[in-house]
Amino acid sequence: MPSASRSHRSYQADVLLVPLEPRSRAAVLNPAPHDALDGIVIAGPDTPSAGTGSAPGGLSRPDVVVMLAHDLAAVDPGLVTRLGISARASGALVGAIVISPDRSWHGPQARRTATELRATADTVVVLADMAPAVALLRVLRGGPRTADTPGPI
């Protein structure tokens, strides 16, 4: 019988996480536990659009680009469009995670952004808080895991 602590590797993707507004940036810069997003490159305000140039950490052509938003009213729909076009041009899959405790958004700007996210992303996931978002990002990242690795997969 195989050992329970054996390492498994099915894939390891280069994931670029793009916080679209200040609240999302704060959420990813202070995740709990602190190392929850290890191996995922977080785009900064000065990062070129996904797939163009070189992102922090040497990630120039991500496999997956994930846009993250808490406040859709604070997101420029044009930015969503530009990120999607750039990611697709580099061959990346495009995802979006919207953190919304009531799973809804209000106001014309938020609705425009939601419409643009749906049009741009391959998959849009709406979650109540960051904990399942971190777990989803870790799954997208993949890579080596052992049976005794703590935390959600």
Side-chain angles (χ1 to χ4, degrees):
M1 176 165 231
S3 168
S5 65
R6 157 181 106 162
S7 178
H8 301 277
R9 180 185 298 262
S10 57
Y11 70 95
Q12 187 167 333
D14 289 328
V15 177
L16 176 64
L17 179 61
V18 183
L20 295 175
E21 34 71 46
R23 189 167 166 203
S24 294
R25 173 150 300 288
V28 298
L29 293 179
N30 301 306
H34 181 66
D35 63 350
L37 295 175
D38 278 355
I40 296 172
V41 175
I42 300 169
D46 57 344
T47 301
S49 296
T52 62
S54 181
L59 184 60
S60 61
R61 296 186 73 88
D63 299 310
V64 182
V65 174
V66 179
M67 295 177 272
L68 175 68
H70 282 74
D71 181 5
L72 291 178
V75 176
D76 172 15
L79 173 62
V80 171
T81 303
R82 290 187 304 277
L83 285 168
I85 289 170
S86 181
R88 291 224 190 282
S90 73
L93 294 172
V94 181
I97 299 174
V98 178
I99 306 299
S100 177
D102 61 1
R103 291 183 173 83
S104 65
W105 34 87
H106 309 284
Q109 177 70 18
R111 287 191 291 276
R112 278 193 297 278
T113 300
T115 299
E116 195 55 41
L117 281 171
R118 284 192 302 263
T120 301
D122 296 304
T123 302
V124 177
V125 179
V126 180
L127 300 168
D129 60 53
M130 273 300 290
V134 169
L136 175 60
L137 289 165
R138 291 178 66 191
V139 168
L140 289 173
R141 169 79 167 87
R145 303 278 304 169
T146 59
D148 59 339
T149 301
I153 293 179

